Amino acid sequence: MRAVTWQGKRDVRVETVPDPKIEQATDAVIKVTSTGLCGSDLHLYEVLTPFMTPGDILGHEPMGIVEEAGSEVPGLKPGDRVVVPFQIACGHCWMCASGLPTQCETTQVREEGMGAALFGYSKLYGSVPGGQAEYLRVPQAQFGPIKVPEGPPDDRFLYLSDVLPTAWQAVRYADVPPGGSVAVLGLGPIGDMCCRIALHQGAAQVVGVDLVPERLQRARERGVEVFDLNGFDSHDGLVDAVKDRTSGRGPDAVIDAVGTEAHGSPLARTQQQAAGLLPKAWAARLHQKAGTDRLAALYLAIDLVRRGGTVSLSGVYGGAADPLPMMTLFDRQIQLRMGQANVRRWVDDILPLLTDEDPLGVDGFATHHVPLADAPHAYKMFQQKQDGAVKVVMRP
Ligand SMILES: NC(=O)c1ccc[n+]([C@@H]2O[C@H](COP(=O)([O-])OP(=O)(O)OC[C@H]3O[C@@H](n4cnc5c(N)ncnc54)[C@H](O)[C@@H]3O)[C@@H](O)[C@H]2O)c1
Ligand SMILES: [Zn+2]
Ligand SMILES: [Zn+2]
């Protein structure tokens, strides 16, 4: 089959690889019909290079048709239409039973000290072949895949794999009080969807911050009050402007939907580049043990949120020794919540919104649909935010 493989920093290629097969009784194999490109893939493209191996199959936002299901997957049969969550979880361990499938005790990648295995997400998360491919082996298929109805186009359901539950959890964790305000940093697919969900759930005021004109415009069109980072000389200028618009105190909650690739953290950039040039083992260690994050967005979130408010982190961070302003966090009494999205935890809440009325606008959410063969171009376009790319969906 054809699959998108990682070959090196900023180098992905579509190659022919062996077809996946059922390996365990709890596996299924699906024929992928649509598969998303995510901001998280961009970390692998560049910053998380030390954890990647040439040939790794990328992708964690797939949906498709069941080809074959193992003997311990009674709920699926060939021909079923399914969306596959980005994390692999068993559904029956203590963590899964507690609504935390990202921490699944059956699939945790203990060698690396990490939580549940993820599709297509480096050695850190189990080196599981990903879903930007014609076929995908789905481990723990007795729990993961979400059956969806025939009829509507793939885009109606595809975002259940990641974008929707991630944004849903970010908004839930933000805990915006009724009639309250929330600021969303980053208006990529995740931040954009956070704004839509917050508005849908009745936040009185949703503020969005980014620096890409098309992304700001997209959010503005849906009723978000947007701030262009480029319109301010300093961090403080932006903080003051947002506070002015939110009762002088700052928003009740701030969602960081940027993560480790934030613009405006020049020191970290040099460290990251150094990590990319060091021999692999050293670079991986530097990345885990030293401060290599670009924390500009997190610092902004901490300064923006009102005293006693909540910062909800959905952007991915990866360093271990980055300085956090503990005195400010403590004095301002800020709650900080974060983590990978617990996909199955939120699916039943989200499914009723994926109707023809389409309140969250999923049908028109993708800006680009491309064949799998165009993956190298799609990665570059998405990373460089060219051609209005916000969400790219590949069709194998
Ligand atoms: N928690 C989860 O389960 C989960 C799931 C999916 C994605 N993510 C993470 O969420 C983040 C966003 O993902 P995405 O797909 O929307 O990616 P993206 O890269 O398209 O979006 C990031 C956006 O942030 C903007 N930005 C950069 N620096 C900024 C700054 N200093 N202030 C404000 N905005 C800034 C960029 O212009 C971009 O529009 C990534 O870190 C991704 O890894 C987490
Ligand atoms: Zn994703
Ligand atoms: Zn589990």
Side-chain angles (χ1 to χ4, degrees):
M1 68 164 182
R2 303 290 283 166
V4 180
T5 63
W6 185 94
Q7 297 295 343
K9 189 170 166 183
R10 276 184 255 123
D11 181 7
V12 304
R13 293 182 217 159
V14 181
E15 303 220 307
T16 300
V17 301
D19 287 352
K21 290 191 198 54
I22 301 275
E23 291 173 19
Q24 311 263 330
T26 47
D27 288 350
V29 170
I30 70 156
K31 181 174 167 40
V32 179
T33 54
S34 290
T35 186
L37 178 52
C38 176
S40 298
D41 294 320
L42 295 181
H43 308 323
L44 308 178
Y45 196 53
E46 185 135 10
V47 180
L48 291 179
T49 292
F51 301 101
M52 298 297 287
T53 307
D56 281 353
I57 301 175
L58 296 166
H60 58 267
E61 302 189 350
M63 71 176 287
I65 305 294
V66 175
E67 281 273 308
E68 198 184 344
S71 56
E72 289 173 32
V73 185
L76 294 183
K77 59 177 188 324
D80 285 346
R81 190 183 196 200
V82 292
V83 181
V84 181
F86 71 87
Q87 69 234 202
I88 300 166
C90 74
H92 53 70
C93 71
W94 190 89
M95 287 290 173
C96 285
S98 311
L100 292 166
T102 56
Q103 313 301 324
C104 175
E105 288 169 338
T106 305
T107 73
Q108 273 178 19
V109 184
R110 294 190 169 79
E111 316 83 84
E112 301 288 337
M114 303 302 272
L118 309 179
F119 286 102
Y121 218 72
S122 86
K123 184 155 101 58
L124 283 174
Y125 287 102
S127 300
V128 184
Q132 288 166 4
E134 290 179 301
Y135 294 90
L136 175 69
R137 177 173 84 92
V138 182
Q140 305 292 338
Q142 78 289 351
F143 178 64
I146 304 153
K147 275 209 247 185
V148 295
E150 301 294 334
D154 276 7
D155 288 23
R156 179 73 58 84
F157 304 113
L158 177 65
Y159 308 116
L160 282 170
S161 57
D162 182 339
V163 175
L164 285 165
T166 297
W168 193 273
Q169 177 170 299
V171 173
R172 286 292 289 260
Y173 283 6
D175 202 15
V176 186
S181 54
V182 57
V184 178
L185 308 184
L187 297 171
I190 301 299
D192 184 336
M193 190 55 79
C194 287
C195 293
R196 297 176 188 210
I197 290 171
L199 285 166
H200 179 77
Q201 294 188 349
Q205 198 183 5
V206 179
V207 167
V209 180
D210 204 296
L211 58 161
V212 180
E214 302 88 78
R215 295 179 179 213
L216 292 161
Q217 181 56 24
R218 217 164 108 112
R220 192 185 286 119
E221 281 163 11
R222 294 193 71 100
V224 177
E225 191 172 335
V226 298
F227 289 81
D228 182 351
L229 212 61
N230 284 322
F232 298 89
D233 292 336
S234 68
H235 172 106
D236 292 347
L238 175 60
V239 171
D240 290 345
V242 173
K243 284 198 170 161
D244 276 351
R245 293 292 306 144
T246 45
S247 66
R249 294 189 193 95
D252 296 307
V254 178
I255 294 172
D256 173 350
V258 180
T260 183
E261 320 248 343
H263 294 259
S265 322
L267 179 67
R269 179 154 197 86
T270 338
Q271 284 173 311
Q272 281 167 0
Q273 278 167 349
L277 296 171
L278 280 171
K280 255 196 143 125
W282 280 94
R285 193 168 162 75
L286 179 67
H287 198 102
Q288 273 182 321
K289 301 289 176 210
T292 54
D293 276 333
R294 301 166 74 185
L295 292 172
L298 178 56
Y299 291 157
L300 184 59
I302 292 167
D303 286 343
L304 271 178
V305 72
R306 71 157 163 80
R307 286 178 178 273
T310 302
V311 171
S312 166
L313 274 181
S314 58
V316 168
Y317 288 95
D322 299 283
L324 277 183
M326 285 312 297
M327 185 165 78
T328 306
L329 280 164
F330 186 82
D331 176 67
R332 290 169 53 75
Q333 200 152 347
I334 291 168
Q335 10 271 314
L336 197 51
R337 299 199 69 187
M338 66 188 89
Q340 306 273 13
N342 296 290
V343 175
R344 296 294 315 225
R345 166 76 183 80
W346 309 113
V347 165
D348 292 344
D349 295 324
I350 300 168
L351 263 173
L353 300 177
L354 305 180
T355 56
D356 284 345
E357 287 68 45
D358 192 16
L360 300 177
V362 293
D363 286 349
F365 193 67
T367 51
H368 292 70
H369 293 95
V370 301
L372 200 69
D374 288 356
H377 171 69
Y379 269 78
K380 182 163 176 280
M381 172 177 73
F382 182 50
Q383 189 197 35
Q384 301 186 354
K385 304 178 175 64
Q386 296 162 338
D387 198 19
V390 181
K391 190 66 186 179
V392 182
V393 174
M394 292 183 263
R395 299 239 168 96

